[in-house]
C-alpha cells in the first residue's frame, strides 16, 4: 500500500506536528523537542512536549497525548474525521468522499442553508413580511443586524415551505427530520412547523445553520394560543441542550475579553452584538447545563451568567452553583436591575454600562451567600438554620466525587460559609456528608459503578498493542481469540474493527482503526498510547509468543476445571476414565509449555498496561472509564 492509497498517512505527512501546534501556541525548541504551555489545562510552566521525530505531543502535567490529528481534535473540539478534513484543507489534499451517513448529513446541512435563505428573503422582500420588519424595528434591531444574523420570516401559510421544498426537489421526509415540516398521516398532507414567526437561525460553533428559533408576532391570530418562542426539535444536527445562540459569532471576542456572557433571549444577543458587545451568547429555552459547559470549556475559561433580579434569577443562581461544584469552570453572576432584560438594559443604558456590569459580575458563591445570608432578616435560630441548609442543599446537589480543583473550591466555600455564619466547618461538612449519603443510598452500587474507572485487563491490552504494530499476526490471533473473549467493551470493539479491516483485505494501521472509532474519540486516542508502547518494545516476537500462550492458558482453564470436576465424580471402584485423563494430560502439556516461557516478559518501561485505564463504553460518560 503506497502513501497515496492511505489518505490519513498522507495528511499526517503533509502536516508536521510542530508546524501545526505552533499555529495554536508558542513553541520553543529545547534540545530534540519543542516546549510550550499546554492549552488543555491551566498551564503556567511549559508542560507540553512536542516531538518532531515521533510526530507526537505529550503534556506531562495533564496527560494529554497523541498525534497531530489528536491535537486538532482536542483543540477544535472535532471528531476524528472533522480534524482530518481540517488538516487536509490546510495541506490542500482532497479526501475520498464520506460514507453514506456523512453524505446524508451534508445534505441535511444543505437543506438547512436553503431554508434559511428562503426565510431571510421573505423577510427582506415580501409585502406580507412588513409586520415582522416592523416588530424588529420596534425592538431596536437594525437592518445590518438582520443581515448579519440572517433573520427571516415564516408566513402564516400552512404549507409555504412545503411547496417550496417540493419545487426544489427536496424529500419532505428529510425536512421532517430537521423539524421544518410535519406530516398529517390521516389526511396524507404536510404542513410547516414555523408559521407567522420571526425566524432566528441557530448555528453550531463552525457557523453552520443547524436549527431555527421562531418568535410569533404579537398581532398573530395564534398569539394567545401558541407558545411565544418555538425552537426546532432535536434533530441529527441539533440538540438544544448542547447549542448556544450566537456562540459562533462570539468565539473571537471571547479570546479578547477572557469570558463569555450568557443571556436568555435571541434579541438580547442581537442587541449586544449590534452595540459592539460581541462576547455574548444565549441558551435556547433551557438552563445552562453540563453539556453546555463541556462545549464552553473549549472556548471560555470564565462564564458570566446574566440573570433578571426576580425569582427566576434566584433559581438560576442555584442551578449555576450546582454546575460550579461539578465542573472545572469559573462561573460569575451578573444581576440586572429589576424590571429590565438585557435588551432593554442595552437600549436604555448603553454598551459601556453593560460591559461594566459584566466586568463587575460576582463570584457565584458570593452571590448565593448575599442572597441567602442576610442577618438583619434572619431573626430566629430556625430561620438561620433554614438559610444555611438552603445553601448546603445546593452543594449537596453536586456529586461528592469531583476533580481536584473543584474539590478545593468546595473546601474554600465551606470555610467562607463558616466564617460568615459562625458555624464550625466540621458541622457543615457533617451535614453535607449526611446529605450525600441520603442521595446515594438507594442506588449506591449503581453510583459506584458509574463513577469508577474500570481498567482493562493487562493481557487484553497487550494483545491489542501487538496487533496494532504487527497486524500480520491478526490471522494467527483470529484462530484463537474472538472479540467476545475480551471482557473490556472498548478493547472488544477495537478487536472487532481490526478483524473487519483484515477481512476486507485493507491495510491495518492504528489510524485506520481510529477512523472507524469516530463515535469513541477517547478510545481512539488511547490506541496511540498502546501503539507507542508496543513500538518501543525490544523483543516483540518473544512478547507475542508469551501473549499467545497466555491466551491459550486462559481459554483452556475452564476445560481443565471441567475435566477435574468430572474425574472427581468418578467412583473409586469404577472403571478408569482413560479418555478424560488423556484430555487432561494434553491440556497440561499445553500449560507446561506456557509456563516454560515465563522468563519472557515485557520490559517494565514498555509495559502497555502502564497506559492506564482505557475508555469503557459502560462508564458514566461513555468516553472515559
Amino acid at each position: 500500500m503506497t502513501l497515496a492509497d492511505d489518505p490519513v498517512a498522507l495528511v499526517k505527512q503533509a502536516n508536521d506536528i510542530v508546524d501545526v501546534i505552533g499555529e495554536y501556541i508558542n513553541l520553543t525548541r529545547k534540545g530534540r523537542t519543542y516546549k510550550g504551555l499546554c492549552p488543555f489545562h491551566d498551564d503556567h510552566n511549559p508542560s507540553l512536549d512536542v516531538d518532531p521525530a515521533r510526530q507526537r505531543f505529550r503534556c506531562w502535567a495533564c496527560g494529554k497525548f497523541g498525534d497531530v490529528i489528536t491535537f486538532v481534535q482536542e483543540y477544535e473540539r472535532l471528531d476524528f474525521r472533522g480534524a482530518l478534513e481540517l488538516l487536509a484543507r490546510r495541506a490542500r489534499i482532497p479526501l475520498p468522499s464520506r460514507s453514506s451517513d456523512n453524505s446524508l448529513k451534508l445534505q441535511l446541512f444543505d437543506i438547512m442553508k436553503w431554508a434559511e435563505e428562503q426565510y431571510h428573503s421573505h423577510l427582506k422582500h415580501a409585502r406580507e413580511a412588513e409586520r415582522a420588519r416592523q416588530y424588529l424595528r420596534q425592538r431596536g434591531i437594525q437592518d445590518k443586524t438582520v443581515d448579519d444574523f440572517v433573520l427571516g420570516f415564516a408566513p402564516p401559510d400552512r404549507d409555504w415551505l412545503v411547496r417550496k421544498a417540493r419545487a426544489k426537489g427536496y424529500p419532505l421526509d428529510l425536512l421532517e427530520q430537521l423539524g421544518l415540516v410535519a406530516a398529517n398521516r390521516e389526511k396524507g398532507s404536510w404542513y410547516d412547523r414555523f408559521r407567522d414567526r420571526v425566524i432566528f437561525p441557530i448555528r453550531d460553533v463552525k457557523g453552520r445553520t443547524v436549527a431555527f428559533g421562531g418568535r410569533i408576532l404579537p398581532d398573530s391570530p395564534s398569539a394567545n394560543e401558541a407558545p411565544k418562542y418555538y425552537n426546532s426539535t432535536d434533530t441529527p444536527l441539533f440538540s438544544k441542550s448542547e447549542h448556544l445562540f450566537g456562540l459562533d459569532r462570539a468565539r473571537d471576542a471571547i479570546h479578547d475579553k477572557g469570558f463569555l456572557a450568557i443571556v436568555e433571549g435571541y434579541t438580547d444577543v442581537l442587541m449586544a452584538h449590534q452595540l459592539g458587545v460581541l462576547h455574548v451568547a444565549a441558551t435556547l429555552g433551557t438552563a445552562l447545563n453540563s453539556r453546555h459547559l463541556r462545549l464552553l470549556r473549549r472556548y471560555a475559561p470564565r462564564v458570566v451568567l446574566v440573570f433578571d433580579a426576580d425569582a427566576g434569577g434566584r433559581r438560576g443562581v442555584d442551578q449555576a452553583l450546582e454546575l460550579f461544584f461539578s465542573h472545572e469552570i469559573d462561573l460569575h453572576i451578573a444581576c440586572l436591575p429589576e424590571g429590565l432584560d438585557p435588551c432593554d438594559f442595552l437600549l436604555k443604558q448603553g454598551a459601556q454600562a453593560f460591559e461594566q456590569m459584566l466586568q463587575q459580575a460576582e463570584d457565584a458563591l458570593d452571590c448565593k451567600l448575599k442572597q441567602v445570608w442576610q442577618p438583619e432578616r434572619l431573626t430566629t435560630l430556625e430561620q438561620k438554620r433554614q438559610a444555611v441548609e438552603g445553601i448546603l442543599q445546593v452543594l449537596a446537589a453536586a456529586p461528592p466525587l469531583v476533580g481536584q480543583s473543584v474539590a478545593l473550591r468546595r473546601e474554600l466555600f465551606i470555610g467562607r460559609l463558616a466564617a460568615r455564619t459562625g458555624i464550625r466547618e466540621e458541622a457543615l461538612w457533617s451535614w453535607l456528608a449526611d446529605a450525600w449519603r441520603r442521595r446515594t443510598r438507594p442506588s449506591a452500587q449503581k453510583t459506584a459503578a458509574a463513577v469508577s474507572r474500570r481498567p482493562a485487563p493487562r493481557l487484553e491490552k497487550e494483545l491489542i498493542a501487538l496487533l496494532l504494530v504487527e497486524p500480520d499476526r491478526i490471522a494467527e490471533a483470529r484462530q484463537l481469540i474472538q472479540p467476545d473473549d475480551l471482557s473490556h467493551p472498548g478493547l472488544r470493539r477495537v478487536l472487532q474493527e481490526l478483524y473487519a479491516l483484515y477481512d476486507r483485505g485493507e491495510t491495518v494501521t492504528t489510524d485506520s482503526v481510529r477512523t472507524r472509532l469516530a463515535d469513541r474519540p477517547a478510545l481512539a486516542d488511547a490506541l496511540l498510547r498502546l501503539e507507542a508502547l508496543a513500538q518501543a518494545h525490544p523483543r516483540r516476537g518473544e512478547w507475542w509468543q508469551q501473549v499467545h500462550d497466555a491466551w491459550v492458558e486462559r481459554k483452556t482453564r475452564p476445560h481443565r476445571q471441567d475435566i477435574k470436576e468430572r474425574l472427581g465424580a468418578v467412583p473409586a471402584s469404577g472403571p478408569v476414565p482413560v479418555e478424560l485423563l488423556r484430555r487432561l494430560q494434553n491440556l497440561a502439556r499445553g500449560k507446561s509449555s506456557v509456563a516454560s516461557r515465563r522468563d519472557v516478559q515485557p520490559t517494565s518501561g514498555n509495559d502497555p498496561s502502564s497506559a492506564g485505564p482505557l475508555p469503557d463504553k459502560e462508564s458514566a460518560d461513555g468516553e472515559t472509564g
Side-chain angles (χ1 to χ4, degrees), residues 277-305:
V277 186
L278 305 181
H279 55 299
V280 177
T283 52
L284 301 168
T286 65
L288 197 70
N289 59 48
S290 296
R291 282 180 284 182
H292 288 136
L293 290 189
R294 281 197 289 271
L295 171 69
L296 289 176
R297 281 184 62 189
R298 187 79 228 64
Y299 306 104
R302 181 160 65 101
V303 172
V304 175
L305 303 179

PDB file of all heavy atoms in Angstrom, residues 277-305:
ATOM      1  N   VAL A 277     -20.946  44.615  21.778  1.00  0.00           N
ATOM      2  CA  VAL A 277     -20.606  43.693  22.864  1.00  0.00           C
ATOM      3  C   VAL A 277     -20.703  42.284  22.277  1.00  0.00           C
ATOM      4  O   VAL A 277     -21.772  41.669  22.275  1.00  0.00           O
ATOM      5  CB  VAL A 277     -21.551  43.867  24.074  1.00  0.00           C
ATOM      6  CG1 VAL A 277     -21.078  43.001  25.240  1.00  0.00           C
ATOM      7  CG2 VAL A 277     -21.622  45.329  24.491  1.00  0.00           C
ATOM      8  N   LEU A 278     -19.585  41.781  21.807  1.00  0.00           N
ATOM      9  CA  LEU A 278     -19.606  40.597  20.959  1.00  0.00           C
ATOM     10  C   LEU A 278     -19.461  39.285  21.720  1.00  0.00           C
ATOM     11  O   LEU A 278     -19.770  38.221  21.169  1.00  0.00           O
ATOM     12  CB  LEU A 278     -18.492  40.694  19.907  1.00  0.00           C
ATOM     13  CG  LEU A 278     -18.507  41.964  19.038  1.00  0.00           C
ATOM     14  CD1 LEU A 278     -17.365  41.923  18.034  1.00  0.00           C
ATOM     15  CD2 LEU A 278     -19.842  42.121  18.332  1.00  0.00           C
ATOM     16  N   HIS A 279     -18.989  39.315  22.953  1.00  0.00           N
ATOM     17  CA  HIS A 279     -18.754  38.076  23.697  1.00  0.00           C
ATOM     18  C   HIS A 279     -20.018  37.663  24.461  1.00  0.00           C
ATOM     19  O   HIS A 279     -19.997  37.407  25.666  1.00  0.00           O
ATOM     20  CB  HIS A 279     -17.560  38.233  24.643  1.00  0.00           C
ATOM     21  CG  HIS A 279     -17.663  39.391  25.583  1.00  0.00           C
ATOM     22  ND1 HIS A 279     -17.751  40.685  25.150  1.00  0.00           N
ATOM     23  CD2 HIS A 279     -17.695  39.454  26.941  1.00  0.00           C
ATOM     24  CE1 HIS A 279     -17.827  41.490  26.197  1.00  0.00           C
ATOM     25  NE2 HIS A 279     -17.812  40.770  27.284  1.00  0.00           N
ATOM     26  N   VAL A 280     -21.132  37.569  23.728  1.00  0.00           N
ATOM     27  CA  VAL A 280     -22.434  37.265  24.324  1.00  0.00           C
ATOM     28  C   VAL A 280     -23.105  36.175  23.505  1.00  0.00           C
ATOM     29  O   VAL A 280     -23.115  36.222  22.274  1.00  0.00           O
ATOM     30  CB  VAL A 280     -23.333  38.519  24.383  1.00  0.00           C
ATOM     31  CG1 VAL A 280     -24.705  38.168  24.946  1.00  0.00           C
ATOM     32  CG2 VAL A 280     -22.682  39.609  25.218  1.00  0.00           C
ATOM     33  N   ALA A 281     -23.685  35.188  24.187  1.00  0.00           N
ATOM     34  CA  ALA A 281     -24.470  34.131  23.552  1.00  0.00           C
ATOM     35  C   ALA A 281     -25.661  33.826  24.457  1.00  0.00           C
ATOM     36  O   ALA A 281     -25.759  34.350  25.566  1.00  0.00           O
ATOM     37  CB  ALA A 281     -23.630  32.875  23.323  1.00  0.00           C
ATOM     38  N   ALA A 282     -26.576  32.988  23.984  1.00  0.00           N
ATOM     39  CA  ALA A 282     -27.794  32.701  24.753  1.00  0.00           C
ATOM     40  C   ALA A 282     -28.111  31.220  24.714  1.00  0.00           C
ATOM     41  O   ALA A 282     -27.851  30.529  23.719  1.00  0.00           O
ATOM     42  CB  ALA A 282     -28.977  33.495  24.193  1.00  0.00           C
ATOM     43  N   THR A 283     -28.685  30.733  25.812  1.00  0.00           N
ATOM     44  CA  THR A 283     -29.230  29.379  25.827  1.00  0.00           C
ATOM     45  C   THR A 283     -30.534  29.364  25.026  1.00  0.00           C
ATOM     46  O   THR A 283     -31.094  30.416  24.703  1.00  0.00           O
ATOM     47  CB  THR A 283     -29.493  28.911  27.264  1.00  0.00           C
ATOM     48  OG1 THR A 283     -30.276  29.901  27.944  1.00  0.00           O
ATOM     49  CG2 THR A 283     -28.184  28.716  28.013  1.00  0.00           C
ATOM     50  N   LEU A 284     -31.023  28.178  24.736  1.00  0.00           N
ATOM     51  CA  LEU A 284     -32.160  28.020  23.832  1.00  0.00           C
ATOM     52  C   LEU A 284     -33.368  27.470  24.573  1.00  0.00           C
ATOM     53  O   LEU A 284     -33.829  26.359  24.329  1.00  0.00           O
ATOM     54  CB  LEU A 284     -31.775  27.107  22.668  1.00  0.00           C
ATOM     55  CG  LEU A 284     -30.599  27.619  21.833  1.00  0.00           C
ATOM     56  CD1 LEU A 284     -30.090  26.537  20.908  1.00  0.00           C
ATOM     57  CD2 LEU A 284     -31.005  28.865  21.054  1.00  0.00           C
ATOM     58  N   GLY A 285     -33.859  28.246  25.518  1.00  0.00           N
ATOM     59  CA  GLY A 285     -35.040  27.834  26.258  1.00  0.00           C
ATOM     60  C   GLY A 285     -34.751  26.848  27.363  1.00  0.00           C
ATOM     61  O   GLY A 285     -35.672  26.319  27.982  1.00  0.00           O
ATOM     62  N   THR A 286     -33.475  26.570  27.611  1.00  0.00           N
ATOM     63  CA  THR A 286     -33.093  25.673  28.702  1.00  0.00           C
ATOM     64  C   THR A 286     -32.079  26.383  29.581  1.00  0.00           C
ATOM     65  O   THR A 286     -31.414  27.328  29.147  1.00  0.00           O
ATOM     66  CB  THR A 286     -32.447  24.375  28.172  1.00  0.00           C
ATOM     67  OG1 THR A 286     -31.214  24.704  27.515  1.00  0.00           O
ATOM     68  CG2 THR A 286     -33.366  23.667  27.204  1.00  0.00           C
ATOM     69  N   ALA A 287     -31.953  25.929  30.813  1.00  0.00           N
ATOM     70  CA  ALA A 287     -30.916  26.460  31.689  1.00  0.00           C
ATOM     71  C   ALA A 287     -29.559  25.943  31.227  1.00  0.00           C
ATOM     72  O   ALA A 287     -29.455  24.920  30.547  1.00  0.00           O
ATOM     73  CB  ALA A 287     -31.186  26.046  33.133  1.00  0.00           C
ATOM     74  N   LEU A 288     -28.506  26.667  31.586  1.00  0.00           N
ATOM     75  CA  LEU A 288     -27.159  26.198  31.303  1.00  0.00           C
ATOM     76  C   LEU A 288     -26.963  24.837  31.962  1.00  0.00           C
ATOM     77  O   LEU A 288     -27.331  24.633  33.120  1.00  0.00           O
ATOM     78  CB  LEU A 288     -26.142  27.203  31.855  1.00  0.00           C
ATOM     79  CG  LEU A 288     -24.711  27.095  31.310  1.00  0.00           C
ATOM     80  CD1 LEU A 288     -24.671  27.530  29.856  1.00  0.00           C
ATOM     81  CD2 LEU A 288     -23.767  27.961  32.147  1.00  0.00           C
ATOM     82  N   ASN A 289     -26.391  23.878  31.221  1.00  0.00           N
ATOM     83  CA  ASN A 289     -26.254  22.528  31.754  1.00  0.00           C
ATOM     84  C   ASN A 289     -24.852  21.983  31.511  1.00  0.00           C
ATOM     85  O   ASN A 289     -23.985  22.672  30.958  1.00  0.00           O
ATOM     86  CB  ASN A 289     -27.315  21.611  31.143  1.00  0.00           C
ATOM     87  CG  ASN A 289     -27.208  21.539  29.623  1.00  0.00           C
ATOM     88  OD1 ASN A 289     -26.126  21.341  29.081  1.00  0.00           O
ATOM     89  ND2 ASN A 289     -28.328  21.700  28.931  1.00  0.00           N
ATOM     90  N   SER A 290     -24.649  20.749  31.925  1.00  0.00           N
ATOM     91  CA  SER A 290     -23.323  20.137  31.843  1.00  0.00           C
ATOM     92  C   SER A 290     -22.831  20.040  30.409  1.00  0.00           C
ATOM     93  O   SER A 290     -21.644  20.226  30.133  1.00  0.00           O
ATOM     94  CB  SER A 290     -23.348  18.745  32.483  1.00  0.00           C
ATOM     95  OG  SER A 290     -23.641  18.832  33.851  1.00  0.00           O
ATOM     96  N   ARG A 291     -23.729  19.725  29.476  1.00  0.00           N
ATOM     97  CA  ARG A 291     -23.294  19.600  28.088  1.00  0.00           C
ATOM     98  C   ARG A 291     -22.874  20.949  27.520  1.00  0.00           C
ATOM     99  O   ARG A 291     -21.933  21.037  26.730  1.00  0.00           O
ATOM    100  CB  ARG A 291     -24.409  18.970  27.250  1.00  0.00           C
ATOM    101  CG  ARG A 291     -24.500  17.467  27.431  1.00  0.00           C
ATOM    102  CD  ARG A 291     -25.599  16.845  26.619  1.00  0.00           C
ATOM    103  NE  ARG A 291     -26.905  17.087  27.192  1.00  0.00           N
ATOM    104  CZ  ARG A 291     -28.042  16.620  26.692  1.00  0.00           C
ATOM    105  NH1 ARG A 291     -28.019  15.903  25.587  1.00  0.00           N
ATOM    106  NH2 ARG A 291     -29.186  16.860  27.278  1.00  0.00           N
ATOM    107  N   HIS A 292     -23.570  22.015  27.924  1.00  0.00           N
ATOM    108  CA  HIS A 292     -23.129  23.350  27.520  1.00  0.00           C
ATOM    109  C   HIS A 292     -21.709  23.608  28.016  1.00  0.00           C
ATOM    110  O   HIS A 292     -20.867  24.142  27.282  1.00  0.00           O
ATOM    111  CB  HIS A 292     -24.059  24.420  28.099  1.00  0.00           C
ATOM    112  CG  HIS A 292     -25.401  24.485  27.455  1.00  0.00           C
ATOM    113  ND1 HIS A 292     -26.563  24.604  28.170  1.00  0.00           N
ATOM    114  CD2 HIS A 292     -25.777  24.450  26.150  1.00  0.00           C
ATOM    115  CE1 HIS A 292     -27.589  24.643  27.335  1.00  0.00           C
ATOM    116  NE2 HIS A 292     -27.134  24.545  26.110  1.00  0.00           N
ATOM    117  N   LEU A 293     -21.462  23.263  29.286  1.00  0.00           N
ATOM    118  CA  LEU A 293     -20.160  23.569  29.869  1.00  0.00           C
ATOM    119  C   LEU A 293     -19.045  22.784  29.206  1.00  0.00           C
ATOM    120  O   LEU A 293     -17.929  23.292  29.057  1.00  0.00           O
ATOM    121  CB  LEU A 293     -20.180  23.307  31.372  1.00  0.00           C
ATOM    122  CG  LEU A 293     -21.023  24.275  32.205  1.00  0.00           C
ATOM    123  CD1 LEU A 293     -20.786  24.029  33.689  1.00  0.00           C
ATOM    124  CD2 LEU A 293     -20.706  25.726  31.877  1.00  0.00           C
ATOM    125  N   ARG A 294     -19.330  21.543  28.813  1.00  0.00           N
ATOM    126  CA  ARG A 294     -18.306  20.779  28.105  1.00  0.00           C
ATOM    127  C   ARG A 294     -17.939  21.467  26.796  1.00  0.00           C
ATOM    128  O   ARG A 294     -16.781  21.428  26.366  1.00  0.00           O
ATOM    129  CB  ARG A 294     -18.793  19.356  27.845  1.00  0.00           C
ATOM    130  CG  ARG A 294     -18.687  18.456  29.069  1.00  0.00           C
ATOM    131  CD  ARG A 294     -18.780  16.988  28.682  1.00  0.00           C
ATOM    132  NE  ARG A 294     -20.110  16.611  28.253  1.00  0.00           N
ATOM    133  CZ  ARG A 294     -21.064  16.171  29.056  1.00  0.00           C
ATOM    134  NH1 ARG A 294     -20.839  16.080  30.348  1.00  0.00           N
ATOM    135  NH2 ARG A 294     -22.251  15.834  28.592  1.00  0.00           N
ATOM    136  N   LEU A 295     -18.913  22.093  26.166  1.00  0.00           N
ATOM    137  CA  LEU A 295     -18.642  22.859  24.951  1.00  0.00           C
ATOM    138  C   LEU A 295     -17.894  24.143  25.278  1.00  0.00           C
ATOM    139  O   LEU A 295     -16.896  24.492  24.639  1.00  0.00           O
ATOM    140  CB  LEU A 295     -19.970  23.181  24.245  1.00  0.00           C
ATOM    141  CG  LEU A 295     -19.912  24.159  23.068  1.00  0.00           C
ATOM    142  CD1 LEU A 295     -19.178  23.527  21.894  1.00  0.00           C
ATOM    143  CD2 LEU A 295     -21.313  24.581  22.650  1.00  0.00           C
ATOM    144  N   LEU A 296     -18.351  24.855  26.309  1.00  0.00           N
ATOM    145  CA  LEU A 296     -17.794  26.177  26.608  1.00  0.00           C
ATOM    146  C   LEU A 296     -16.361  26.110  27.129  1.00  0.00           C
ATOM    147  O   LEU A 296     -15.591  27.048  26.909  1.00  0.00           O
ATOM    148  CB  LEU A 296     -18.678  26.890  27.633  1.00  0.00           C
ATOM    149  CG  LEU A 296     -20.037  27.356  27.105  1.00  0.00           C
ATOM    150  CD1 LEU A 296     -20.859  27.963  28.232  1.00  0.00           C
ATOM    151  CD2 LEU A 296     -19.849  28.376  25.983  1.00  0.00           C
ATOM    152  N   ARG A 297     -16.025  25.043  27.833  1.00  0.00           N
ATOM    153  CA  ARG A 297     -14.668  24.945  28.369  1.00  0.00           C
ATOM    154  C   ARG A 297     -13.616  25.022  27.281  1.00  0.00           C
ATOM    155  O   ARG A 297     -12.479  25.408  27.526  1.00  0.00           O
ATOM    156  CB  ARG A 297     -14.496  23.631  29.142  1.00  0.00           C
ATOM    157  CG  ARG A 297     -15.079  23.646  30.531  1.00  0.00           C
ATOM    158  CD  ARG A 297     -14.786  22.354  31.254  1.00  0.00           C
ATOM    159  NE  ARG A 297     -13.358  22.149  31.419  1.00  0.00           N
ATOM    160  CZ  ARG A 297     -12.833  21.017  31.871  1.00  0.00           C
ATOM    161  NH1 ARG A 297     -13.600  19.998  32.174  1.00  0.00           N
ATOM    162  NH2 ARG A 297     -11.521  20.900  32.013  1.00  0.00           N
ATOM    163  N   ARG A 298     -14.034  24.698  26.057  1.00  0.00           N
ATOM    164  CA  ARG A 298     -13.109  24.751  24.936  1.00  0.00           C
ATOM    165  C   ARG A 298     -12.772  26.179  24.553  1.00  0.00           C
ATOM    166  O   ARG A 298     -11.675  26.461  24.066  1.00  0.00           O
ATOM    167  CB  ARG A 298     -13.775  24.053  23.727  1.00  0.00           C
ATOM    168  CG  ARG A 298     -12.868  23.905  22.566  1.00  0.00           C
ATOM    169  CD  ARG A 298     -12.016  22.807  22.783  1.00  0.00           C
ATOM    170  NE  ARG A 298     -10.697  22.552  22.690  1.00  0.00           N
ATOM    171  CZ  ARG A 298      -9.682  23.049  23.341  1.00  0.00           C
ATOM    172  NH1 ARG A 298      -9.785  24.026  24.149  1.00  0.00           N
ATOM    173  NH2 ARG A 298      -8.506  22.578  23.201  1.00  0.00           N
ATOM    174  N   TYR A 299     -13.732  27.090  24.793  1.00  0.00           N
ATOM    175  CA  TYR A 299     -13.587  28.450  24.278  1.00  0.00           C
ATOM    176  C   TYR A 299     -13.485  29.515  25.360  1.00  0.00           C
ATOM    177  O   TYR A 299     -12.951  30.596  25.104  1.00  0.00           O
ATOM    178  CB  TYR A 299     -14.777  28.782  23.368  1.00  0.00           C
ATOM    179  CG  TYR A 299     -14.991  27.777  22.275  1.00  0.00           C
ATOM    180  CD1 TYR A 299     -16.018  26.840  22.342  1.00  0.00           C
ATOM    181  CD2 TYR A 299     -14.123  27.716  21.195  1.00  0.00           C
ATOM    182  CE1 TYR A 299     -16.187  25.887  21.344  1.00  0.00           C
ATOM    183  CE2 TYR A 299     -14.287  26.777  20.192  1.00  0.00           C
ATOM    184  CZ  TYR A 299     -15.319  25.863  20.275  1.00  0.00           C
ATOM    185  OH  TYR A 299     -15.475  24.928  19.296  1.00  0.00           O
ATOM    186  N   ALA A 300     -14.020  29.260  26.535  1.00  0.00           N
ATOM    187  CA  ALA A 300     -14.109  30.316  27.545  1.00  0.00           C
ATOM    188  C   ALA A 300     -13.642  29.802  28.908  1.00  0.00           C
ATOM    189  O   ALA A 300     -14.256  28.883  29.446  1.00  0.00           O
ATOM    190  CB  ALA A 300     -15.545  30.840  27.647  1.00  0.00           C
ATOM    191  N   PRO A 301     -12.586  30.398  29.482  1.00  0.00           N
ATOM    192  CA  PRO A 301     -12.170  29.977  30.823  1.00  0.00           C
ATOM    193  C   PRO A 301     -13.130  30.443  31.907  1.00  0.00           C
ATOM    194  O   PRO A 301     -13.153  29.893  33.004  1.00  0.00           O
ATOM    195  CB  PRO A 301     -10.803  30.655  30.982  1.00  0.00           C
ATOM    196  CG  PRO A 301     -10.866  31.849  30.089  1.00  0.00           C
ATOM    197  CD  PRO A 301     -11.706  31.438  28.923  1.00  0.00           C
ATOM    198  N   ARG A 302     -13.922  31.483  31.585  1.00  0.00           N
ATOM    199  CA  ARG A 302     -14.859  32.017  32.566  1.00  0.00           C
ATOM    200  C   ARG A 302     -16.181  32.322  31.871  1.00  0.00           C
ATOM    201  O   ARG A 302     -16.213  32.761  30.715  1.00  0.00           O
ATOM    202  CB  ARG A 302     -14.296  33.300  33.190  1.00  0.00           C
ATOM    203  CG  ARG A 302     -15.184  33.924  34.245  1.00  0.00           C
ATOM    204  CD  ARG A 302     -14.384  34.866  35.150  1.00  0.00           C
ATOM    205  NE  ARG A 302     -13.856  36.011  34.431  1.00  0.00           N
ATOM    206  CZ  ARG A 302     -14.401  37.236  34.465  1.00  0.00           C
ATOM    207  NH1 ARG A 302     -15.484  37.449  35.186  1.00  0.00           N
ATOM    208  NH2 ARG A 302     -13.855  38.222  33.799  1.00  0.00           N
ATOM    209  N   VAL A 303     -17.275  32.082  32.587  1.00  0.00           N
ATOM    210  CA  VAL A 303     -18.615  32.344  32.065  1.00  0.00           C
ATOM    211  C   VAL A 303     -19.338  33.263  33.039  1.00  0.00           C
ATOM    212  O   VAL A 303     -19.316  33.031  34.253  1.00  0.00           O
ATOM    213  CB  VAL A 303     -19.414  31.030  31.890  1.00  0.00           C
ATOM    214  CG1 VAL A 303     -20.871  31.320  31.538  1.00  0.00           C
ATOM    215  CG2 VAL A 303     -18.775  30.166  30.816  1.00  0.00           C
ATOM    216  N   VAL A 304     -19.967  34.303  32.502  1.00  0.00           N
ATOM    217  CA  VAL A 304     -20.782  35.222  33.305  1.00  0.00           C
ATOM    218  C   VAL A 304     -22.238  35.007  32.918  1.00  0.00           C
ATOM    219  O   VAL A 304     -22.615  35.205  31.757  1.00  0.00           O
ATOM    220  CB  VAL A 304     -20.385  36.689  33.079  1.00  0.00           C
ATOM    221  CG1 VAL A 304     -21.342  37.617  33.836  1.00  0.00           C
ATOM    222  CG2 VAL A 304     -18.952  36.937  33.530  1.00  0.00           C
ATOM    223  N   LEU A 305     -23.055  34.571  33.873  1.00  0.00           N
ATOM    224  CA  LEU A 305     -24.477  34.366  33.636  1.00  0.00           C
ATOM    225  C   LEU A 305     -25.223  35.646  34.000  1.00  0.00           C
ATOM    226  O   LEU A 305     -25.065  36.168  35.109  1.00  0.00           O
ATOM    227  CB  LEU A 305     -24.992  33.197  34.479  1.00  0.00           C
ATOM    228  CG  LEU A 305     -24.283  31.854  34.261  1.00  0.00           C
ATOM    229  CD1 LEU A 305     -24.886  30.788  35.170  1.00  0.00           C
ATOM    230  CD2 LEU A 305     -24.391  31.423  32.811  1.00  0.00           C
TER     231      LEU A 305
END
